[in-house]
Amino acid sequence: MSESVLTNTRYGKDLVRVFRVVRDGEFHQVVEYNVSVLLEGDIETSYTVADNSVVVATDSMKNITYYLAKISPHILSPERFALHLGTHIVSRYAHIHRAFITLERLRWSRIALGANDHPHPHSFIRDGNDRQTVEVEVDASAGKDKLSAKVTSGITDLLVLKSGGSAFHGFIHDEYTTLREVDDRVLSTSVDLTYTFAPLSLISPTDDKKLDFIVPEGFALGGVWDAVNVATRVRTATLDIFALDSSASVQATLFKMGQRVIAENAGVASVTYKLPNKHYIPVDMKYIGVDNTTPANAEVFVPVSAPSGLISATISRK
Ligand SMILES: O=c1[nH]c(=O)c2[nH]c(=O)[nH]c2[nH]1
């Protein structure tokens, strides 16, 4: 027993599902989040000597999440809501020094009706399985009056495919090579990306209940970290480059995506893409005397679920 030591502790509530409607008269806005709240602090004794007096119950973390979803004016912005939640928790509990708030925003887009695409005031559609992601770390370890935060946002599971405009040749040919060079192929990936904002300092709440939250400079609408607009631009840039690039490889297309994200978003310090290459293999129909394998005649493909390539890179501001 004496040869072991507790070196790291973090605990909390995962998969807190919460939906919020914000009513502006007839006009509603909605968000649905999956939230994870993890805490670090002076909690070692809960592990080593079963001392629950230092434990904020994970059930309470769930309740705090629901309460903040009810009262936070920042609920519609995943970044600002996560910062508000983390700031409240580290300010409210003296022995909790860091809060790690992770949040996924599910898509609920407003339904557009009729020939004019008339936006419906309170009806929404799940128009994609991709989720916006936010990871926030609120750090009070330098003191409750010196809060700082790191914010990383992203997109996960954005599934795309192009049936032209993608080639792959010039790669190493040796005794292990069976892949053919192609001028044209099906390219599909499920985009996973994260982008990081510069670290920021936060103003500590001054009210008794520690519920006040002042949006950090830059994170308000129109600021360099205006997360709503950054998220929209990053998604648009990724889809634009995917569609428009005459792809020489996943690597080369990925780099162009990253360059555009950095160029268009002054507040973004770096962006990391993880792109699986989801292979679509032309079916060999020689058995029936049909050419389905030369690129011009390849029309029937087998989508291969495994293995896939996996291409990743981080593009940073110089
Ligand atoms: O775009 C690609 N990059 C690779 O590194 C690679 N490797 C492979 O087999 N196919 C591909 N395609």
Side-chain angles (χ1 to χ4, degrees):
M1 302 284 247
S2 61
E3 64 269 44
S4 56
V5 60
L6 185 67
T7 48
N8 200 15
T9 53
R10 187 184 290 186
Y11 81 111
K13 201 64 141 189
D14 195 16
L15 300 173
V16 181
R17 296 193 56 180
V18 58
F19 175 85
R20 166 77 198 268
V21 53
V22 175
R23 297 191 185 88
D24 183 6
E26 295 287 291
F27 191 80
H28 297 180
Q29 299 190 70
V30 301
V31 280
E32 182 168 343
Y33 294 135
N34 297 328
V35 185
S36 158
V37 179
L38 298 177
L39 306 182
E40 286 182 5
D42 301 329
I43 54 175
E44 290 78 6
T45 53
S46 66
Y47 294 78
T48 54
V49 293
D51 170 17
N52 287 343
S53 70
V54 297
V55 175
V56 179
T58 69
D59 191 62
S60 307
M61 298 181 203
K62 173 205 69 184
N63 292 339
I64 292 169
T65 306
Y66 294 150
Y67 182 56
L68 268 277
K70 174 82 178 167
I71 62 135
S72 175
H74 310 292
I75 185 68
L76 295 175
S77 158
E79 284 85 357
R80 279 183 273 148
F81 177 61
L83 285 167
H84 192 175
L85 187 53
T87 300
H88 173 61
I89 293 172
V90 298
S91 307
R92 174 70 178 74
Y93 300 101
H95 69 300
I96 297 299
H97 303 313
R98 283 194 194 87
F100 300 82
I101 312 294
T102 313
L103 184 153
E104 279 188 345
R105 179 189 186 157
L106 283 66
R107 286 184 74 79
W108 283 123
S109 298
R110 193 173 298 283
I111 292 178
L113 296 177
N116 299 333
D117 281 345
H118 189 67
H120 195 270
H122 59 241
S123 298
F124 301 87
I125 180 171
R126 171 69 43 81
D127 63 342
N129 284 328
D130 59 302
R131 275 112 45 225
Q132 199 183 334
T133 61
V134 172
E135 282 172 49
V136 160
E137 177 185 338
V138 178
D139 189 350
S141 58
K144 300 293 179 186
D145 53 348
K146 288 197 189 60
L147 304 185
S148 62
K150 292 181 194 147
V151 181
T152 297
S153 300
I155 302 172
T156 191
D157 288 344
L158 179 63
L159 183 59
V160 288
L161 177 148
K162 60 197 279 180
S163 54
S166 166
F168 189 58
H169 35 71
F171 48 87
I172 293 170
H173 282 252
D174 61 15
E175 66 274 32
Y176 298 115
T177 310
T178 56
L179 188 69
R180 288 217 261 159
E181 307 217 344
V182 283
D183 291 330
D184 202 13
R185 64 175 178 173
V186 172
L187 181 61
S188 176
T189 189
S190 177
V191 178
D192 234 319
L193 69 89
T194 54
Y195 47 92
T196 302
F197 299 98
L200 56 140
S201 47
L202 300 173
I203 296 168
S204 307
T206 50
D207 60 315
D208 286 350
K209 293 195 172 295
K210 309 294 183 198
L211 286 165
D212 274 356
F213 177 70
I214 295 176
V215 176
E217 210 180 313
F219 257 102
L221 282 174
V224 281
W225 297 319
D226 174 353
V228 178
N229 284 323
V230 176
T232 307
R233 281 196 298 267
V234 169
R235 193 171 190 271
T236 302
T238 301
L239 294 177
D240 276 5
I241 297 284
F242 181 78
L244 297 174
D245 185 37
S246 290
S247 176
S249 65
V250 176
Q251 286 89 331
T253 301
L254 181 160
F255 184 56
K256 290 180 188 174
M257 290 173 175
Q259 282 180 304
R260 181 152 149 194
V261 167
I262 295 293
E264 287 183 354
N265 297 283
V268 170
S270 70
V271 57
T272 297
Y273 278 88
K274 291 186 184 142
L275 301 181
N277 188 0
K278 296 166 108 39
H279 303 301
Y280 281 69
I281 312 290
V283 177
D284 187 343
M285 297 188 179
K286 278 199 222 58
Y287 63 90
I288 205 164
V290 170
D291 175 17
N292 187 65
T293 48
T294 55
N297 291 322
E299 292 169 323
V300 178
F301 297 80
V302 182
V304 177
S305 47
S308 71
L310 183 56
I311 316 295
S312 69
T314 299
I315 295 93
S316 303
R317 192 171 298 284
K318 271 192 200 155

